[in-house]
Every structure is written in C-alpha cells, then in structure tokens.
Amino acid sequence: MEKPKKEYEDIPGTTVFDADQSRKGYGINMFCMSLLKAENRTAFKADEAGYLKAYNLTPEQTDAILKRDWNGMLALGGNIYFTSKLGATDGLSFQQVAAKMTGATQQEYADMMLAGGRSVEGNRSKSEWEHKNG
Amino acid sequence: MAKIVACVCTSHVPAIGAALDNGKTQEPYWQRVFGGYEKSKEWIEKVKPDVCIVVFNDHATAFSVDVVPTFALGCAAEYTPADEGWGPRPVPVVHGHPELAAHIAQSVILDEFDLTIVNKMDVDHGLTVPLSLMFGQPKEWPCQIIPLAVNVVLYPPPTGKRCYNLGKAIRKAVESYPEDLRVVIFGTGGMSHQISGPRAGLINSDFDKAFLDALATDPQKAVDIKHIEYMREAGAEGIEMVMWLVARGAMDEKVNEIYRFYTVPASNTAVGHLILENASA
Ligand SMILES: [Fe+2]
C-alpha cells in the first residue's frame, strides 16, 4: 500500500513532527530530554560519543548529533523543543540554534528578525522555493 | 459561585523570561516588549483573580515522547518551575487549586472531553512567562494556578474547534463550583513564529492581527482556521495559537476588548497580547 500523502509536506523548509517522525527520532529526543538534568549535561560533555551509546541511535543520528547538524537531527526524527536542549547544553539560545538552521549568521538572522522576520510571501509552498532556486 | 471574569491571551516566548531573570528589561529591545504589559499588570492588580487557569503547552519538559497527552489538567497542590537546560527560572513555586481542578476534571470529562489528569508536573516557560508578564517579579504568585497543558508539539494538536468547545465546558464547570472565586483564564503561546528548519524566522503580522481581530469580534472565524493554514501562514510553531481558543471559548460570544498589544520580535517570535471581558458583565 502506498503511504497517504501529507498536505503539510508541501510547506518548504519545514519538517512537521508527527507520530511517524517521533517514532523514528525516539532516541534523539530521549537523549536530548536527558540533558534537562545538570549531571547528565556534565556527563555528555565529558564523553559525547560514549554518552550517546545508551540511546539506540542509528549511525546517521549519532553523526548528526556529534556534528550538531541541526537540520539533520530534525530530518532524522528530532523535534526542535528537544534538540534545543542540546543547544542549551552548548550554551546556545533558541535564536542561535534557529539561525544555524537557516544558514544565516547569528547577526544576519537577528537583523532579519528586527526588520520584521521572514516574510510569508514566497515561503508558503515548496513550488515557490523551487521557483526561487531554479 | 465561581465565575470566569476575563480572558488573557499572551505569547510565552522563553527569551522574555530570560530577559526578565537576567535584569535586561530596561534595554530598548526588551523595553519595547515589557512596556506593552504595564497596563495589563495594572489591570490584573485591580481584577484580583483568586485563581488563574493557564492554558499552555509543555515544551518537552514534563512530557517526553514516551507519553503525549492532548489535554492534561494539573490537579496538584503545587508545581515546580522546570530546568529546561539553562537551569530553572528563579520564579516562585506555582500553587495549584486542587479542589477546583478536580471539579473541572470531573465536570468536563463527564461532558465528553477526555482529559488526562496530572498530579506531578514541572512547569516550563510556557506557563511561567505569562505569569511573569502579568504579575511581574513577586516573592509569591498572587493567586492559585490551574495549569492545562495542550499538546502542540507532536502533530496534530487538537483542532481550534475542539479547543474552543473545551473552553465552553471549562466555563460550565467553573460556574458550577459552589465557592465564590474570581477566575481568569489565560490562553498562551503564539503568535506567528517558526523556530525550526530553513524557514525559521517566519513572521506574519497580517495573519496575527486578523487573528486578534477575530478573537475580539468574530471568534468563529478563528475557530475555523485549519492546522495547515496555521503552519503555512504563521509558521510551524505558530500552531500554538489554538491554545488561545480554549480561553476564548470560556467567554461569552460578545466581549469587550480591554487591551491589545502586538510587537515584532521577541527573539524568533511575534508577541501578541489581548485582554477580554464579557460584554454582559
Ligand atoms: Fe510555546
């Protein structure tokens, strides 16, 4: 059987965290959740790869975490409210993590926000992005 | 008899809490945000609620991906401010109203809204930032708080219509509670924002302002907004706005707009704020 299409897959630059994603990213998100405890943050920082072994991650997921590939973590089932705890452990604010996901520098991103944010015009559907890039 | 006297809608941006806790409120960037709540603080000091029902969402703090309740009502005597990775916010412990909460739970569940009951929950910025915005930095919060956590993290959240109707059921529950209590209901989160992926930073002020207008004058228009429209138009995380509809549902259809404030940005997010009282009151 073909999987049903999800209408929100058409939103560009966006991974909607649904039950499929949450199953795929269970390990990433539970790892991130563990960082809510100060002693776990310390243990993770002391030995990142070793700490991750307890979370049943795929090699791609481990790699994305170790490389701080923020978009990669989302694609592999992570959710921003979880991955931001890894950001916090690195001393990053929500805004700093967001900037990294857009490919902008922190300053460029902060300036964009001060100027009113990213407009919805041209950012509603994937076809608009393909048009822009093609 | 207990009575819902007003509804307060407000964004709950975590950076607002951080700015307050780190003494940055006088910086021009933050003055623009906090200045918008001066009138609200004066208003709520006059209203003196006994209890605030705060509709908020947990941001992967109390609920992991092990269990994700759609609606979870706090029936505990107290709630500890959570460590969200930066250490807990230095704000007072939140005292509940377990008797009223238990009454609401019983009433709305028998009214066919299948709530999850919560007896232990640390509360994150979703709940504490609105309290800080409305009450400032007191030693103790001036009223009891009933938290209602709505899932907006794992798609799909409850529909706007479901939220609105739950608000109506909560009102019925409150109004059947025998003690004379003044209750204010908070809807929190929003407004337009996206904090994830390459489209992060999206803001749609036109959408936000139309939403504020609809809440004030034509709530059905807001109730009819579909999830796909929130996500496309107001950002993936803008879908938090459904929580405002729970608060709005607890009010009369005709309301007086007491106060409105809107500014862009606070960190990644458009900040919106609305206070409504029933026109018949
Ligand atoms: Fe939120």
Side-chain angles (χ1 to χ4, degrees):
Chain A
M1 193 193 79
E2 212 182 311
K3 270 204 265 171
K5 259 223 160 310
K6 298 168 178 173
E7 62 179 341
Y8 47 81
E9 282 171 359
D10 176 54
I11 303 173
T14 303
T15 307
V16 174
F17 185 67
D18 58 14
D20 290 324
Q21 285 297 102
S22 85
R23 171 171 35 79
K24 194 159 93 177
Y26 181 81
I28 297 180
N29 294 320
M30 294 310 274
F31 148 68
C32 289
M33 194 84 187
S34 76
L35 300 176
L36 287 181
K37 291 209 170 82
E39 64 265 31
N40 292 342
R41 297 197 281 270
T42 309
F44 171 67
K45 279 187 190 155
D47 175 14
E48 296 202 356
Y51 186 92
L52 290 177
K53 290 212 170 82
Y55 289 92
N56 270 320
L57 300 164
T58 66
E60 293 76 25
Q61 290 175 327
T62 303
D63 203 48
I65 293 168
L66 293 176
K67 289 191 175 136
R68 304 299 193 269
D69 174 2
W70 302 99
N71 285 320
M73 285 182 247
L74 300 188
L76 296 167
N79 168 270
I80 184 62
Y81 294 119
F82 291 82
T83 57
S84 63
K85 300 184 195 331
L86 176 58
T89 302
D90 289 345
L92 300 176
S93 68
F94 268 108
Q95 195 186 67
Q96 287 166 317
V97 176
K100 287 177 191 294
M101 288 184 287
T102 65
T105 65
Q106 165 66 18
Q107 192 58 51
E108 287 164 350
Y109 185 86
D111 289 346
M112 175 183 80
M113 293 315 300
L114 264 178
R118 184 186 307 282
S119 170
V120 73
E121 299 308 329
N123 291 312
R124 287 187 173 91
S125 74
K126 281 193 173 154
S127 63
E128 291 176 297
W129 276 32
E130 278 151 22
H131 188 250
K132 193 168 58 184
N133 301 328
Chain B
M1 197 185 77
K3 191 173 182 328
I4 295 184
V5 296
C7 112
V8 171
C9 295
T10 178
S11 305
H12 60 212
V13 187
I16 293 177
L20 196 69
D21 302 341
N22 297 315
K24 292 187 185 165
T25 53
Q26 292 311 313
E27 291 179 7
Y29 182 100
W30 289 110
Q31 192 46 49
R32 176 175 49 82
V33 174
F34 289 106
Y37 287 82
E38 286 306 320
K39 286 220 163 63
S40 317
K41 281 155 73 176
E42 286 167 24
W43 171 85
I44 207 156
E45 220 175 294
K46 282 198 211 111
V47 170
K48 282 197 200 328
D50 300 299
V51 181
C52 289
I53 299 172
V54 181
V55 184
F56 78 111
N57 70 287
D58 177 76
H59 304 78
T61 306
F63 305 117
S64 69
V65 270
D66 276 342
V67 176
V68 184
T70 295
F71 292 114
L73 186 73
C75 295
E78 60 176 50
Y79 308 89
T80 307
D83 181 349
E84 299 178 56
W86 296 270
R89 290 194 62 210
V91 293
V93 164
V94 172
H95 293 284
H97 195 304
E99 297 81 14
L100 177 58
H103 172 81
I104 292 172
Q106 178 150 158
S107 173
V108 306
I109 290 171
L110 294 177
D111 231 349
E112 302 183 343
F113 291 85
D114 311 319
L115 301 188
T116 298
I117 306 296
V118 179
N119 283 307
K120 182 171 165 39
M121 170 168 68
D122 285 357
V123 286
D124 71 14
H125 68 268
L127 184 122
T128 62
V129 166
L131 295 184
S132 296
L133 282 170
M134 293 303 292
F135 297 118
Q137 296 175 291
K139 280 211 170 60
E140 288 290 337
W141 299 119
C143 60
Q144 288 160 298
I145 307 292
I146 298 179
L148 174 65
V150 179
N151 164 48
V152 293
V153 171
L154 201 162
Y155 187 88
T159 63
K161 182 179 166 199
R162 185 71 173 158
C163 289
Y164 190 68
N165 287 336
L166 175 60
K168 289 182 188 291
I170 289 172
R171 176 183 186 166
K172 197 170 125 192
V174 168
E175 289 180 352
S176 64
Y177 191 71
E179 193 183 338
D180 278 331
L181 293 173
R182 295 165 63 73
V183 180
V184 170
I185 185 162
F186 283 43
T188 76
M191 294 196 87
S192 59
H193 67 302
Q194 176 151 340
I195 56 170
S196 61
R199 201 175 72 136
L202 188 113
I203 297 286
N204 187 343
S205 299
D206 291 340
F207 182 95
D208 291 339
K209 287 175 182 167
F211 190 79
L212 292 168
D213 287 343
L215 284 191
T217 59
D218 185 6
Q220 192 58 44
K221 216 162 130 186
V223 169
D224 289 340
I225 299 170
K226 299 276 178 281
H227 284 350
I228 183 75
E229 191 182 346
Y230 282 111
M231 294 193 297
R232 208 190 284 282
E233 297 292 326
E237 282 72 47
I239 202 162
E240 287 188 341
M241 277 185 263
V242 295
M243 294 185 287
W244 292 28
L245 290 167
V246 179
R248 184 62 183 86
M251 304 295 292
D252 286 349
E253 198 166 321
K254 286 233 178 319
V255 291
N256 291 329
E257 181 173 327
I258 303 301
Y259 183 65
R260 180 191 296 212
F261 173 63
Y262 184 79
T263 188
V264 175
S267 183
N268 300 290
T269 307
V271 173
H273 173 41
L274 193 63
I275 299 177
L276 305 172
E277 290 178 359
N278 286 332
S280 63

